[in-house]
Amino acid sequence: MFSELLKQYNTDGYAVIEDFLTDEEKEIEKVTKDMPEKENRALFSTTNSSVTQNKDKYFLDSGDKISFFFETDAIGPDGDLLVEPILALNKIGHALHELNDVFREITLSVRVKETCFQLGFEEPVIPHSMYIFKNPRHGGKVVAHQDASYLHTDPVKLVGFWIALEDATVENGCIRFIKGSHKGGIHRRYIRNPDKFSEELLIYDSPPPFYQKSAFIPVPVPKGACILIHGQVVHYSEANRSSKSRHAYTFHVVETKDTKYSEENWLQPPEGKQFLHLYKN
């Protein structure tokens, strides 16, 4: 199995593993019971810079917490929810893999360790994790990007595990990839703003590149499947305007042996701590 998986991963920049999860390996109701008060509700969007995490310390400080991020059209100007709470969320992050027992068990499973071993990771750590909702009619578009723009290492050795907790279809916003685009280097970086006097805490170091929409291939997957995503492959997902949600759990693994994790990355380990080691836990 792994020989074919590695071939697809190395050729296309992504690969699909069917039946990666069992049905019981999902938990969201318990997490969403701890809804934040409205003054702690952060909006999340990849398309509107005026409401993104760029100016939001809540986002910047979320690396070692379980934090809640809402869709831009789900919250009114006074912070009140305009839809049911479970339909308002964009994502929960970014330390589910450390602080939630269910997600920790999934992330540190033998399946994940074996996959990373086959990919050649020797000292892998997990910087962050997210539960992504992509709720019906409100699930926002995720613009075309490369994961290594956000979690950069030198040299780049980064893989994302994107696990479908519900069927991901063309209609409800499955991921779309440009095959082979991982071979073209990193197109731009998302970094901590070196200008300490700017209200923008996080910035891109260059304008967004143009990607031909026709170059993207949709990759629908059934519930329980996992998509391995190379750190440099270009991918995006459309907004979900269908009546069916597209929940997913995702996390990233980076190599620490003979690599340098960038001090410019938005996500940094808390002072005095290190990212969770995959093989040692």
Side-chain angles (χ1 to χ4, degrees), residues 9 13-15 119 145-147 158-162 175 177 226-235 250-253:
Y9 181 80
Y14 64 92
L119 291 174
H145 67 283
Q146 301 167 293
D147 292 343
L158 165 71
V159 61
F161 285 71
W162 191 95
I175 303 181
F177 293 90
C226 175
I227 306 178
L228 298 179
I229 303 175
H230 190 287
Q232 290 183 180
V233 72
V234 180
H235 57 289
T250 184
F251 58 92
H252 289 87
V253 178

Side-chain angles (χ1 to χ4, degrees), residues 70-91:
F70 292 82
E71 297 288 359
T72 57
D73 61 353
I75 296 181
D78 57 357
D80 292 327
L81 293 178
L82 303 178
V83 297
E84 290 296 315
I86 195 67
L87 298 178
L89 283 164
N90 174 286
K91 68 176 183 178

Side-chain angles (χ1 to χ4, degrees), residues 1-18 119 177 179-180 182-183 217 219 221 226-228 230 233:
M1 181 193 88
F2 275 109
S3 60
E4 288 300 312
L5 182 75
L6 289 171
K7 181 179 179 181
Q8 184 191 6
Y9 181 80
N10 291 327
T11 301
D12 298 337
Y14 64 92
V16 177
I17 307 175
E18 301 280 355
L119 291 174
F177 293 90
K179 283 187 174 183
H182 62 300
K183 301 174 182 178
I217 297 172
V219 181
V221 293
C226 175
I227 306 178
L228 298 179
H230 190 287
V233 72

Side-chain angles (χ1 to χ4, degrees), residues 9-10 13-14 116 119-121 124-128 145-161 182 186 189 228-233 235 250-256 259-261 265-267 275:
Y9 181 80
N10 291 327
Y14 64 92
C116 287
L119 291 174
F121 284 79
V125 298
I126 304 131
H128 80 151
H145 67 283
Q146 301 167 293
D147 292 343
S149 296
Y150 304 88
L151 299 171
H152 183 265
T153 64
D154 185 19
V156 173
K157 194 156 189 183
L158 165 71
V159 61
F161 285 71
H182 62 300
I186 298 177
R189 295 272 311 282
L228 298 179
I229 303 175
H230 190 287
Q232 290 183 180
V233 72
H235 57 289
T250 184
F251 58 92
H252 289 87
V253 178
V254 300
E255 178 65 276
T256 59
T259 67
K260 179 176 173 54
Y261 186 82
N265 288 339
W266 78 268
L267 179 61
F275 292 133

Side-chain angles (χ1 to χ4, degrees), residues 186-226:
I186 298 177
H187 305 155
R188 68 170 175 167
R189 295 272 311 282
Y190 185 64
I191 60 175
R192 293 178 175 237
N193 193 347
D195 182 359
K196 304 302 181 183
F197 298 101
S198 172
E199 65 175 5
E200 298 278 336
L201 301 178
L202 300 161
I203 59 170
Y204 288 101
D205 64 357
S206 63
F210 171 77
Y211 300 114
Q212 192 83 24
K213 193 170 184 179
S214 60
F216 288 90
I217 297 172
V219 181
V221 293
K223 176 182 176 181
C226 175

Side-chain angles (χ1 to χ4, degrees), residues 44-281:
F44 185 86
S45 168
T46 65
T47 59
N48 185 346
S49 62
S50 67
V51 295
T52 64
Q53 65 273 22
N54 293 17
K55 302 176 183 178
D56 200 341
K57 198 170 185 300
Y58 183 80
F59 177 87
L60 198 61
D61 293 341
S62 66
D64 61 343
K65 302 175 181 66
I66 295 178
S67 302
F68 298 78
F69 300 89
F70 292 82
E71 297 288 359
T72 57
D73 61 353
I75 296 181
D78 57 357
D80 292 327
L81 293 178
L82 303 178
V83 297
E84 290 296 315
I86 195 67
L87 298 178
L89 283 164
N90 174 286
K91 68 176 183 178
I92 298 174
H94 290 94
L96 290 166
H97 64 289
E98 287 204 70
L99 302 179
N100 180 277
D101 290 341
V102 172
F103 292 119
R104 183 184 177 97
E105 183 176 350
I106 292 171
T107 310
L108 298 175
S109 69
V110 172
R111 287 155 295 175
V112 173
K113 293 177 180 178
E114 177 65 20
T115 302
C116 287
F117 177 80
Q118 294 293 336
L119 291 174
F121 284 79
E122 297 184 58
E123 296 287 339
V125 298
I126 304 131
H128 80 151
S129 54
M130 296 180 288
Y131 191 107
I132 301 174
F133 288 83
K134 206 78 162 179
N135 281 313
R137 299 185 178 86
H138 294 280
K141 177 179 179 178
V142 176
V143 298
H145 67 283
Q146 301 167 293
D147 292 343
S149 296
Y150 304 88
L151 299 171
H152 183 265
T153 64
D154 185 19
V156 173
K157 194 156 189 183
L158 165 71
V159 61
F161 285 71
W162 191 95
I163 303 169
L165 301 180
E166 298 178 312
D167 292 345
T169 67
V170 171
E171 292 74 25
N172 69 5
C174 68
I175 303 181
R176 298 168 183 256
F177 293 90
I178 300 180
K179 283 187 174 183
S181 56
H182 62 300
K183 301 174 182 178
I186 298 177
H187 305 155
R188 68 170 175 167
R189 295 272 311 282
Y190 185 64
I191 60 175
R192 293 178 175 237
N193 193 347
D195 182 359
K196 304 302 181 183
F197 298 101
S198 172
E199 65 175 5
E200 298 278 336
L201 301 178
L202 300 161
I203 59 170
Y204 288 101
D205 64 357
S206 63
F210 171 77
Y211 300 114
Q212 192 83 24
K213 193 170 184 179
S214 60
F216 288 90
I217 297 172
V219 181
V221 293
K223 176 182 176 181
C226 175
I227 306 178
L228 298 179
I229 303 175
H230 190 287
Q232 290 183 180
V233 72
V234 180
H235 57 289
Y236 89 105
S237 64
E238 293 284 1
N240 182 9
R241 297 297 178 243
S242 77
S243 60
K244 295 183 178 180
S245 57
R246 193 224 65 183
H247 291 193
Y249 174 59
T250 184
F251 58 92
H252 289 87
V253 178
V254 300
E255 178 65 276
T256 59
K257 184 177 181 180
D258 299 327
T259 67
K260 179 176 173 54
Y261 186 82
S262 176
E263 295 179 355
E264 295 180 321
N265 288 339
W266 78 268
L267 179 61
Q268 298 294 326
E271 188 173 352
K273 292 183 62 179
Q274 295 181 330
F275 292 133
L276 187 67
H277 198 290
L278 179 61
Y279 296 159
K280 296 178 181 178
N281 288 280

